[in-house]
């Protein structure tokens, strides 16, 4: 199984790489963007992972993911795309420092505001606003990492007020986390016929913006710990499902 992991920033990519291999080496000649890692776990020869810094936001993530998939070596195609990084957690379900694995990747603010409320792009008839990961893989990933299995919302503007948090909760009562890239990664993966998974480590609560309460270091450590145990999960799932 060859997997592509897409993060927003370099610190997230490094945390994922360290989780997979305690001594990762950046790719000498990254094929798409600077800062990439190519990691092969010595105890999992069937698993190879490319980690890409794709940029912040759904558009940047979709562009980077699509480019990486378009130039992939056809002799060693990807079998899975993963959106990974830190994000905000909806309280009290996803406390700071915990993990969330998406059972749905949702474009939470893609649509239109109306006098009667928000309409999703799907309700407008212009596409879809949700991607579903393979249910078995998401469930096994959540179980192995001790993560909450719940929808992860993709937003273009990070929530910074109680009113915005309440609005998202009302429209997505089962949501576990919000981030800025998952849906974009999923759109690119779907265009190439590939399954997607999203893993988020919670660095802050969704709600009023309070930088002093953020625990980015703890979230990055949790992300590394998650990928330490996700390697075997992905490899095992890939052995059964990757037929590309």
């Amino acid at each position: 199984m060859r997997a592509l992991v897409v993060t927003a920033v370099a610190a997230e990519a490094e945390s994922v790489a360290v989780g997979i291999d305690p001594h990762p080496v950046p790719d000498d000649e990254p094929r798409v963007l600077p800062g990439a890692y190519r990691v092969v776990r010595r105890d999992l020869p069937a698993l190879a992972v490319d980690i890409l810094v794709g940029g912040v936001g759904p558009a940047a993530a979709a562009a980077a993911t699509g480019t990486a998939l378009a130039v992939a070596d056809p002799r060693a195609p990807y079998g899975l795309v993963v959106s990974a990084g830190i994000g905000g957690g909806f309280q009290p379900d996803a406390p700071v420092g915990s993990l969330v694995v998406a059972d749905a990747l949702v474009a939470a603010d893609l649509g239109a505001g109306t006098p009667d409320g928000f309409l999703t792009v799907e309700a407008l008839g212009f596409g879809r606003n949700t991607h579903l990961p393979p249910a078995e893989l998401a469930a096994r990933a959540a179980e192995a990492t001790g993560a909450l299995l719940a929808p992860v919302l993709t937003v273009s503007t990070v929530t910074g007020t109680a009113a915005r948090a309440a609005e998202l909760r009302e429209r997505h009562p089962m949501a576990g986390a919000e981030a800025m890239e998952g849906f974009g990664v999923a759109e690119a993966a779907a265009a190439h016929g590939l399954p997607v998974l999203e893993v988020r480590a919670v660095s802050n609560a969704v709600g009023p913006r309070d930088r002093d309460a953020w625990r980015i270091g703890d979230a990055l450590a949790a992300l590394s710990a998650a990928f330490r145990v996700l390697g075997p999960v992905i490899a095992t799932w890939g052995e059964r499902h990757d037929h590309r």
Side-chain angles (χ1 to χ4, degrees):
M1 159 71 75
R2 180 171 291 279
L4 175 67
V5 177
V6 183
T7 70
V9 298
E12 293 169 330
E14 183 176 357
S15 295
V16 171
V18 168
I20 298 171
D21 183 338
H23 305 288
V25 178
D27 195 350
D28 290 335
E29 296 180 1
R31 295 166 303 145
V32 184
L33 292 174
Y37 289 86
R38 179 165 292 172
V39 184
V40 178
R41 261 182 65 161
R42 293 162 182 80
D43 61 333
L44 291 172
L47 177 66
V49 181
D50 289 346
I51 305 166
L52 178 67
V53 179
V56 175
T65 305
T67 301
L69 296 176
V71 302
D73 185 345
R75 297 167 298 179
Y78 293 114
L80 175 69
V81 181
V82 183
S83 177
I86 64 176
F90 286 93
Q91 306 303 301
D93 304 311
V96 175
S98 68
L99 294 164
V100 180
V101 170
D103 61 7
L105 292 77
V106 182
D109 55 10
L110 182 61
T114 77
D116 298 319
F118 179 79
L119 289 178
T120 67
V121 70
E122 187 170 340
L124 293 168
F126 296 139
R128 58 190 161 194
N129 70 307
T130 301
H131 287 275
L132 301 178
E136 177 193 351
L137 176 60
R140 288 183 179 275
E143 180 181 11
T145 59
L148 173 68
L149 182 64
V152 175
L153 309 184
T154 298
V155 294
S156 296
T157 302
V158 172
T159 298
T161 66
R164 170 68 168 166
E167 177 190 348
L168 288 175
R169 262 299 201 191
E170 183 177 358
R171 287 198 275 117
H172 306 280
M174 302 304 293
E178 72 166 21
M180 300 182 75
E181 293 79 34
F183 185 80
V185 172
E187 282 282 275
H192 288 264
L194 289 170
V196 69
L197 182 70
E198 184 168 12
V199 180
R200 292 288 162 183
V202 177
S203 59
N204 58 279
V206 175
R209 187 173 174 83
D210 180 6
R211 286 296 300 266
D212 291 337
W214 290 9
R215 287 164 45 193
I216 293 177
D218 290 345
L220 291 173
L223 193 63
S224 289
F227 276 86
R228 202 163 295 132
V229 296
L230 278 176
V233 173
I234 293 173
T236 300
W237 180 85
E239 288 174 357
R240 297 199 307 272
H241 297 279
D242 185 15
H243 303 299
R244 292 172 65 84

